[in-house]
Every structure is written in C-alpha cells, then in structure tokens.
Amino acid sequence: MRIKFPLFAVLLASAAAPAFADAAALDADTALHGTVSAEIIVTAPYARDRATALSGVTVLQGTDLTRELRGTIGETLSRQAGVSSTSFGPNASRPILRGFQGERIRILNDGIGSFDVSNTSVDHAVVINPQLAERIEVLRGPASLLYGSSAIGGVVNIVDKRIPREVPTEPVHLDVLGSFGSAATERNISGVVEVPVTDRIVLHADGSFAESDDLRIGGFVLSRPVRAAALASGDPAVRDLAVLDGRLPNSAARTWAAGGGAAFIDADGELGFAYSHYDSLYGVPPRFDLATGDGEAVRLKVKQDRIDLRGQINAGGSLIDTIKFRFGYADYRHSELDDAGAIGTTFLNQGLEGRLEVAQTKRDIGSGTWRGATGVQLFARRFEAIGDEAFVPRNDTLQAGIFTLQEVDFGAASVETAGRYERANVKASVSDFRGAPVFSDRNFDLFSGSLGASFGFAQGWRLGVNLSHTERAPAAEELLANGPHAGTQAFEIGNPDFVKERANGAELILRGKGEGYSFEASVYYSRFSDYIYEVQTGAVEDNLPIFQILQDNARYIGFEVQGSATLARLGDSEIKLDALADYTDAKILGGGGMVPRIPPLRMLAGIGVSGPVWDARAEIEHATSQTRLAAFETETAAYTLVNASISIRPFADRPNTAIVVSANNLFDVDARRHASFLKNFAPLAGRDIRVSLRFTI
C-alpha cells in the first residue's frame, strides 16, 4: 500500500516551514552548541519572549530535562504545570494538556508531526525517543492554533539536532546519554555525533537503544475497588487476580532508533535533511475480565522510516526578514501480537506534512513596533487497519491551511492577533468496512482565530488576556470506528455523521519576576459546541466493553499557577523553593455528566540547593481523589509521591555534561492517574532509583 498524493501536494510540502526562532534572537541567546535560553520560545514563527506569551508555556532543557527524562514523552512531562499523562502502561504514555488528549494535542518533532498513530488510540506509543531531545516545549491554549485544527488543546514540540543548526567549532562533537532505572531494570543509551566537513557543512549521526523488564509497582496490580470485586467472585481464576502484586504484567519493552543528516549553514540561510528509523516491541498491560479472569496480553511491534527536510533563507529585506520551510514524510506500521505471538491486527500509516512561513521584518509604527509571520501548511495521511480486529476502514485525510500571526508592541502594552483557515477532507474505503453505513467523502471548512493583549503594570509584572475561536474536524477514527480493538481491549463505535467541533475560549495570564522570585498564573475557560468524546456504555460486544464516541456541547474551566523564590544565598549557592498547582473541570452540558478521564487537582512543591557544580532537590507531588465522574467511571484515590535528586556538573565550560541521580516515589506508594483507561489495572511505577550520565565533548 502506498499513498499517491497529487503533485501539487508534494510540491507544497517540499517547500514548507517549521516554527523556530529568528537568527538574531538565537545568536543573542546561544551559549554553547545551540543551547537557547529557556526564556526564549522557539515553537513560534519567530523568537518570542516567554514573559510576554499570551498562553501557558513550558520549556524543559539542559539538566532539568536530563533529570525528568523517562521512556515516554508523557511521563517525561508529567510533572510540568498543566500536563498529565495517559499512562496506558509504561510504554504508551502521551501528554495530556489541560485535560485534552488524543486528537486535540499535536506532538511535533522539530515543528512537524510525529507521523505515528498515537493520537488515534491510547495504546499506541509516540514514535519519538525523548532520549534524543535537546529541548521540549509545551504550548497550551490558543497559541497552538498555528499548527492545525488538531492542536486545539495544545502542542508539544520535541526539538532535536537530527538536522544540524550550527557547524561545531571542534573537529568532532559528541553528545552521549546513558541511564538506568531500577523500577523496570531500564537500560538506555543514546549518542549524537556531528562532524564539520567544511566551515559551512556539517554531518550528523545518532542512535539510541532502550530495554526494560516488567515494571515494578508499589502494591497490587488491581485497584482497591476492582480488587474487592475480584475477591468477592466465586470463580477461583478471578480471585487469583486479587493477589497479583509487585510487577505489572506484560509491560516490558525493547526499542532502538538510528538516524543521520547533513546541513549547509551560512549567514544567508541553511538547508538540511535527515533520515531516521525507529523500531520497538512493547507490551500493553492486560485489562482483566472480572467475569472470567481472562486478560489479553497484547504486544505491539512498531517500525517507522522517516525523511525530514528543513531550510531557511535569511532575506534581511525591508519587508521580509526570513523564509523558512519544513517537510517530513514517514512510512509507519505496527502489528498487535497476541499471547502466542500471532498477528491479530496490523496498522499502516503513511503521512507527509509541510510548512512554509514568511516572517516580516520588524518595523516601527508610531511609538511601537510591528512584526508578524504568515504561512501555509499541508498534512496528508493514509491510514489502514488489516486483520480480524480492524475497527476502522482504510481512509485518507488531507488538510491544507493558511495562517498568520501579527503582533504590535508598545513596550508597556502589546496586542497580538492570529488567524487560520483550514480545509479538511476525509475519504473512506467503504469496501473495507464492517457493514455499517458510512460516507465515502467529507469536507470541512475550519476557521480559527485569537485576539489578545498584555499590559505591564509594574516593574517585572505583566497581565494578559486572550480570546479565541477554534474549530476542529472530526478525525477519521471518530467518524469511522466500529469494531473490536485488541490494544485497548474495547469495542469502539464512532459516528460518520459528526459535524465539526467549535470552541470559544478566554484566558487570563499573570506573570511577574524580580530579584529572587518568579510567578505565573493562568485561568482559562472554553465552551464547546458539538464536542466529541468517548464514553463506556455498559454494554458488551465480542466479550469487550463498548466505548461509544458521542457529540454534545461541553465546557472546560481551570487554572495553572507556579512560582519560585530564593530563600537564601550561601556564597555561590542558593536555596530555592518552587511550587505549582493545576486543575481542570470539564462537563458535558445538557445533562450529559462529566467529561471522562479528566485529571484532578494536583499540587507539587520542591526545595533545592543549586551551585556552580552541583544541584540537589526534593519534592512532594500530591494528586487529590477524583470524584467528579462520567458514566461507568470509578473513583480514583488520592496519592502523594516524594522524589529527590542530585545533579553534578563537573566541567564549568560544559554545562551539558552532568551526572544525575534521582529517587522517585521514595515511599513506594500505589499511585494511579484518573486519566488512564487502564488505571484500575496499571498503577504507576513504584520506587525507582535512576542514574543518568550525560557528557559532551
């Protein structure tokens, strides 16, 4: 099976652009080998100051990123403000932003999609290895609309160096990361090599390998209410489930990836390309049937081949500053294997995406300055499921969009507006379907926009407000699903008559910083028309619980708050206290109850000592119980995790070289995330001692 895209689509995609910072700002903030200040947002059409952003932003890099690294993007980011994780076992954990997940969150690799099927189902892993990440940025709120209608809830951009951004000054540049985690006897090794061929051409190669055993947990496999139900059963096979503890069944994994690239870089611009291969075999913890004691231990065998292209022209003219383009294409497949290793279902996904962005030259207008960027984006995908449990027919998705971002800055005040129009088309191959009536061709016209302003009212303090309207087309899986899915162990049913999803939102942001402190808070509200969501019905088909995808009006409301303060300075060292809290409440209007799988109130506080050579940190994370439930959801108990770490940077001139030792879930508690489909059968890791060594030469 191969995608045959129209010629115009290929041409457009080959001239498409990522959103990276403009050269001048990056030069000012580059310290060593492209390390950019965490105060600069690179996931934008031009470099932007995080302090003036009109939505929630998280930047994770350097030693902080090394300390937080886990085997998945979801777990790596799960302790950041406004971020949770799907936690479908330790190998398929995707970020949740402000309660949004799946098709409403875009996972990007250097500004272009991951070309996997992680957005279609929670058992599908993100095909991006966080071990190779140089920087991860999370955008929450309307700023993400520039990346497509499927980014209505936010964007996670993993920035790596597979396509080099600069020519190293040394003959060979080497960056190696190795780590060990005790909870799953997890072994990771990754490395990046860059060699300058000339003063303008650099070659790149990278590779990674990770292997882990079944995850050690802090208690029983089954949650307390499910365990009680198992103990009450008259079937000995079901009662035996209640004593499962210590290890999470079928959660081992083995993954490797490799890639190579090259780039030409000079003052007038750059052009680079890369090829990469990803290969993984991982288990999905079983959802046990309390009527029979059975639980299918599915493993997923995943492969992807990917090609990337990035370029930039530094025009430096009176009208146009830069022209950037970005293109990616990938061929992805995964097979779902049963207990005996036989293939039940194979998923095939071929996709390409391209962006072209033109950034305007900043110009004076009266007492302020005006800058902006305009671009086009194309995304195309062919998705096919083959086998006895193919729950969707073969389908093609094509999305073409045009967008603009404009900003006027008067110093004390600034105004920002953004707009996007997108045409989305979904075609289904009805001959593959399982007898249900479906369409063969549907089109959606999508209009999104935002208008915001921020005001500096005191030294270091700024208040911003943003209003937005966003629209999203139903995904092919939401329209077409109708069958059993072994990976999620559910019978999923969509609706081919769904209309587009629309949302009107508002966000209020307060940021402040000064000598020894920083503070950031945001409050947001969104009201959805024709919101698409999935609920368990209580019925059973093919011995699987039925999950029905529905459409109704909904509203989201929530907040995020975080801050830090320096408590004392002792010579070159300082003691800092930091804390965050986040909360989302989401409700189906018109008597539909709560939106399923919304994370509860979460609070985290930490205290650390940092100096020129070493850092030490201890933190407490508490998630409250979730009692606001959708139909057939069960209550999730509160939990408290205690973590500690120490980081050593032995070389002052190489801050990226570090040894990090961390102890997570020190008291080995049983913790489960309410947002997880598998929360009653797959708790989080128990006590996990991790050692990571990163060195750069």
Side-chain angles (χ1 to χ4, degrees):
M1 183 273 295
R2 288 291 183 269
I3 299 177
K4 295 182 179 179
F5 293 116
L7 178 60
F8 81 88
V10 177
L11 292 175
L12 176 60
S14 65
F20 295 113
D22 69 311
L26 288 185
D27 287 344
D29 288 87
T30 298
L32 181 68
H33 297 300
T35 300
V36 183
S37 166
E39 297 305 311
I40 296 294
I41 306 168
V42 300
T43 307
Y46 42 79
R48 310 189 73 193
D49 187 348
R50 185 175 179 271
T52 62
L54 290 173
S55 59
V57 178
T58 296
V59 178
L60 197 58
Q61 64 180 24
T63 304
D64 291 337
L65 175 57
T66 303
R67 183 183 65 242
E68 298 295 334
L69 273 176
R70 301 294 185 272
T72 65
I73 296 295
E75 293 305 316
T76 296
L77 296 173
S78 62
R79 287 199 282 267
Q80 307 305 308
V83 185
S84 184
S85 173
T86 57
S87 298
F88 202 84
N91 305 309
S93 192
R94 201 172 192 266
I96 297 173
L97 308 183
R98 294 180 172 177
F100 295 113
Q101 58 178 291
E103 193 57 36
R104 295 183 184 87
I105 302 298
R106 288 216 69 193
I107 308 295
L108 306 178
N109 188 353
D110 273 357
I112 291 293
S114 56
F115 299 124
D116 52 38
V117 293
S118 64
N119 59 317
T120 67
S121 183
V122 288
D123 65 309
H124 301 162
V126 177
V127 183
I128 298 176
N129 187 349
Q131 301 290 323
L132 294 173
E134 184 183 33
R135 177 184 178 99
I136 302 176
E137 293 191 351
V138 181
L139 272 64
R140 305 175 293 278
S144 59
L145 69 87
L146 298 182
Y147 292 89
S149 61
S150 57
I152 191 171
V155 164
V156 176
N157 189 22
I158 297 94
V159 180
D160 58 29
K161 298 175 70 174
R162 185 157 279 162
I163 301 178
R165 289 185 176 80
E166 66 173 6
V167 180
T169 55
E170 59 268 19
V172 177
H173 176 69
L174 179 65
D175 191 354
V176 176
L177 172 64
S179 63
F180 173 83
S182 66
T185 319
E186 177 186 335
R187 295 85 73 195
N188 295 283
I189 183 71
S190 62
V192 173
V193 178
E194 291 182 337
V195 178
V197 179
T198 71
D199 59 353
R200 298 182 181 182
I201 298 176
V202 56
L203 302 181
H204 167 101
D206 64 66
S208 64
F209 176 82
E211 188 171 22
S212 60
D213 300 334
D214 285 345
L215 183 70
R216 197 184 69 79
I217 55 178
F220 292 99
V221 171
L222 302 186
S223 65
R224 183 173 296 178
V226 176
R227 185 166 173 261
L231 287 170
S233 173
D235 188 335
V238 176
R239 289 199 302 272
D240 287 345
L241 298 177
V243 298
L244 290 175
D245 68 349
R247 292 279 176 181
L248 184 62
N250 198 46
S251 58
R254 181 187 178 98
T255 302
W256 68 272
F264 173 88
I265 304 167
D266 71 3
D268 296 324
E270 62 182 70
L271 179 64
F273 69 92
Y275 163 80
S276 59
H277 177 81
Y278 181 96
D279 192 297
S280 180
L281 176 65
Y282 66 90
V284 174
R287 183 202 300 268
F288 293 104
D289 187 336
L290 295 186
T292 64
D294 295 333
E296 190 173 2
V298 177
R299 291 180 299 155
L300 275 68
K301 178 63 176 175
V302 180
K303 290 186 178 182
Q304 185 193 70
D305 290 286
R306 174 172 174 143
I307 297 172
D308 286 278
L309 178 68
R310 186 181 72 229
Q312 176 171 318
I313 299 173
N314 298 325
S318 59
L319 181 62
I320 297 176
D321 183 37
T322 59
I323 301 172
K324 306 176 185 180
F325 65 88
R326 182 77 163 90
F327 168 72
Y329 166 81
D331 190 349
Y332 168 99
R333 71 163 51 216
H334 85 247
S335 297
E336 298 187 349
L337 313 177
D338 64 17
D339 300 24
I343 296 177
T345 308
T346 296
F347 292 83
L348 306 173
N349 188 78
Q350 283 187 302
L352 65 78
E353 182 175 356
R355 293 173 66 89
L356 172 66
E357 291 177 351
V358 178
Q360 304 153 207
T361 300
K362 184 185 293 188
R363 58 180 57 210
D364 296 331
I365 52 166
S367 59
T369 59
W370 171 32
R371 64 176 177 173
T374 301
V376 294
Q377 178 183 9
L378 178 83
F379 172 80
R381 183 192 79 156
R382 168 163 288 179
F383 177 76
E384 184 174 8
I386 302 170
D388 295 336
E389 296 182 335
F391 66 102
V392 290
R394 188 176 70 184
N395 58 82
D396 296 323
T397 299
L398 181 64
Q399 299 170 347
I402 182 170
F403 56 88
T404 189
L405 170 68
Q406 303 295 322
E407 179 183 5
V408 179
D409 186 2
F410 297 102
S414 65
V415 179
E416 177 185 309
T417 184
R420 180 184 182 90
Y421 165 73
E422 183 176 300
R423 174 78 166 181
N425 171 261
V426 179
K427 293 182 180 179
S429 177
V430 296
S431 61
D432 290 345
F433 208 59
R434 309 173 71 89
V438 296
F439 58 86
S440 59
D441 195 337
R442 289 205 57 187
N443 294 298
F444 301 89
D445 292 301
L446 309 170
F447 299 88
S448 300
S450 67
L451 176 64
S454 67
F455 310 90
F457 60 90
Q459 181 66 36
W461 286 85
R462 202 167 189 92
L463 179 67
V465 62
N466 205 344
L467 306 176
S468 64
H469 172 81
T470 54
E471 298 183 351
R472 180 180 76 89
E477 293 74 22
E478 295 168 334
L479 296 165
L480 299 166
N482 187 25
H485 185 189
T488 58
Q489 297 158 50
F491 195 100
E492 302 177 20
I493 302 175
N495 187 336
D497 296 323
F498 280 155
V499 297
K500 66 182 178 182
E501 183 179 274
R502 293 163 294 163
N504 293 315
E507 182 171 359
L508 188 68
I509 308 104
L510 175 65
R511 289 190 178 95
K513 62 180 179 179
E515 182 64 30
Y517 75 90
S518 66
F519 177 83
E520 180 175 335
S522 61
V523 179
Y524 54 89
Y525 173 88
S526 294
R527 184 182 177 94
F528 286 82
S529 298
D530 301 309
Y531 177 81
I532 299 172
Y533 64 106
E534 184 178 28
V535 294
Q536 187 173 349
T537 66
V540 175
E541 189 162 339
D542 289 355
N543 295 319
L544 295 171
I546 292 179
F547 281 78
Q548 178 78 52
I549 304 173
L550 303 173
Q551 193 164 46
D552 205 338
N553 296 336
R555 68 108 177 99
Y556 276 66
I557 188 169
F559 70 84
E560 299 156 3
V561 59
Q562 58 186 316
S564 66
T566 300
L567 302 181
R569 289 187 172 88
L570 306 172
D572 292 335
S573 301
E574 58 183 18
I575 302 174
K576 278 190 175 182
L577 177 69
D578 61 81
L580 65 83
D582 50 40
Y583 176 73
T584 300
D585 184 78
K587 187 175 183 180
I588 304 297
L589 303 177
M594 307 307 297
V595 174
R597 294 172 293 280
I598 297 298
L601 171 67
R602 186 266 303 263
M603 297 163 285
L604 187 151
I607 187 167
V609 181
S610 62
V613 176
W614 63 276
D615 303 329
R617 174 180 170 81
E619 66 181 23
I620 299 176
E621 178 184 6
H622 177 73
T624 63
S625 62
Q626 181 57 286
T627 58
R628 298 174 65 79
L629 307 175
F632 297 98
E633 276 194 310
T634 57
E635 184 175 327
T636 303
Y639 63 82
T640 301
L641 304 179
V642 177
N643 311 308
S645 67
I646 184 167
S647 306
I648 301 172
R649 298 178 301 278
F651 307 112
D653 60 336
R654 296 191 178 275
N656 289 332
T657 296
I659 302 170
V660 180
V661 180
S662 63
N664 305 285
N665 192 2
L666 269 168
F667 296 104
D668 210 25
V669 304
D670 180 355
R672 301 170 191 266
R673 291 202 176 103
H674 184 75
S676 171
F677 275 83
L678 274 184
K679 63 165 189 169
N680 288 319
F681 306 95
L684 301 180
R687 185 182 298 110
D688 184 25
I689 309 301
R690 304 185 69 87
V691 180
S692 300
L693 169 62
R694 179 168 224 150
F695 66 88
T696 301
I697 57 175

